[in-house]
Amino acid sequence: MLHLPTIPELRAWTRDQRVAGRRIGLVPTMGALHQGHLALVDEARRRSDAVVMSVFVNPLQFGPGEDLTRYPRDLARDRSLAGECGVDAVFAPTEAMMYPPGSTTRVVPGPASKRWEGAARPGHFTGVLTVVAKLFHLAEPDVACFGQKDFQQAVLVRQMVRDLDWPLELVVVPTVREPDGLALSSRNVYLDAPGRRSALGLSMALRAAHEAWRAGERDPAAIEGRVRGVLDNHAGLAVEYVAVVDPETLEPVSQTSGATIVALAGRVDGTRLIDNIVLGQGLV
Ligand code: PAF
């Protein structure tokens, strides 16, 4: 597996793949790889001939007081895991390479960025779209894979791809979970044993939403009530939002007969965790 530490090296790699007629798959990450990232790689490998993974903790998407400085970083481990699961090249630039002095242009997301994560983390999605746009320019992917766990991010990237006419296929890969249901996240390393028990409330609440839906409940307020009931039983879990929304607009729905997402966010010991479910699909 190739290590591409600079932008010129990534550009040269991209050019070589294009000349050889290979389809390029991109898996953007902030490192601290887990099985969820590896599922993105599997999907990218299925859909392309050469897979590049970016590993970059993007400072632009962290707000003041968030966990930028303590975000887990272990490039040697990430590279070895990426190599084992069939990544062809890892692009791991420095902050100065991605945002040299004077770099002030930003990609501003549309209205679907205003609620939920966008409301809790002002500027977050501008940071995400700006770095993803740069990665798309540098790697020129034919296919790019993102995780369903960050559903609002996936929706906004899809809108950016559409609005800016990017010639690529965007694939959203189902969330990977621990056997007990906890969604994999690089931030789970912050949790101690009691914290992990509290965090489990998130996936249990989503399961309750799914079960209510399967039993015929279609009223979003009632489904939200079920979710909150489970969350309230988990001491140590401070709920930030429970959203029963349309998967395109991210606006709250008035009934759940069409495609509907239940998304939630909460804090455990200062660690912010998110999760979501597509009603009717269950925890996949
Ligand atoms: O989902 C992530 O890990 C990040 O938001 C991404 C897409 C790599 C951009 O920094």
Side-chain angles (χ1 to χ4, degrees):
M1 193 203 57
L2 282 176
H3 179 218
L4 308 172
T6 67
I7 287 176
E9 281 160 292
L10 172 58
R11 280 197 192 281
W13 180 87
T14 302
R15 196 179 50 239
D16 290 349
Q17 308 315 309
R18 291 254 156 262
V19 168
R22 295 191 193 109
R23 265 175 74 79
I24 296 175
L26 170 67
V27 178
T29 81
M30 297 205 300
L33 299 183
H34 51 65
Q35 287 300 326
H37 297 109
L38 305 188
L40 303 182
V41 172
D42 282 348
E43 195 58 41
R45 273 163 54 85
R46 269 195 286 279
R47 294 169 183 262
S48 66
D49 308 307
V51 174
V52 57
M53 171 187 279
S54 59
V55 176
F56 178 60
V57 182
N58 174 33
L60 221 56
Q61 68 189 74
F62 288 78
E66 291 189 7
D67 57 343
L68 173 61
T69 49
R70 73 166 182 148
Y71 197 86
R73 291 165 172 86
D74 187 345
L75 184 56
R77 176 183 170 276
D78 290 341
R79 277 170 53 183
S80 115
L81 276 175
E84 279 165 29
C85 71
V87 169
D88 297 288
V90 165
F91 172 56
T94 63
E95 186 180 332
M97 289 172 194
M98 291 299 270
Y99 304 114
S103 149
T104 52
T105 303
R106 302 289 179 256
V107 178
V108 180
S113 68
K114 297 288 177 256
R115 286 180 182 266
W116 322 123
E117 288 306 287
R121 307 181 66 189
H124 170 66
F125 288 120
T126 295
V128 170
L129 292 195
T130 301
V131 80
V132 170
K134 286 175 75 87
L135 293 169
F136 284 176
H137 278 302
L138 295 171
E140 296 178 26
D142 296 284
V143 54
C145 295
F146 290 80
Q148 167 71 22
K149 191 173 76 65
D150 295 290
F151 88 104
Q152 193 171 7
Q153 165 174 284
V155 167
L156 294 170
V157 172
R158 190 179 293 293
Q159 291 179 356
M160 176 179 77
V161 164
R162 182 198 62 203
D163 295 345
L164 302 185
D165 305 299
W166 245 299
L168 64 85
E169 180 191 3
L170 192 99
V171 182
V172 179
V173 177
T175 302
V176 178
R177 298 178 181 279
E178 303 276 9
D180 60 7
L182 183 71
L184 295 193
S185 162
S186 303
R187 291 187 167 98
N188 289 352
V189 297
Y190 300 148
L191 302 172
D192 58 13
R196 196 188 175 290
R197 277 196 293 281
S198 302
L200 204 52
L202 298 173
S203 55
M204 290 173 70
L206 292 174
R207 195 174 282 130
H210 173 65
E211 276 158 16
W213 191 88
R214 272 202 356 178
E217 183 59 79
R218 293 292 181 271
D219 174 16
I223 290 177
E224 180 178 333
R226 296 287 183 93
V227 169
R228 287 192 183 273
V230 175
L231 295 172
D232 289 349
N233 273 333
H234 284 77
L237 175 58
V239 182
E240 285 199 358
Y241 62 76
V242 177
V244 184
V245 297
D246 178 284
E248 293 298 317
T249 62
L250 306 187
E251 291 295 320
V253 292
S254 53
Q255 51 162 328
T256 61
S257 44
T260 306
I261 290 206
V262 181
L264 36 79
R267 268 180 200 278
V268 175
D269 288 337
T271 296
R272 217 168 158 276
L273 298 167
I274 59 174
D275 201 352
N276 67 84
I277 191 177
V278 181
L279 279 185
Q281 271 183 16
L283 292 190
V284 284

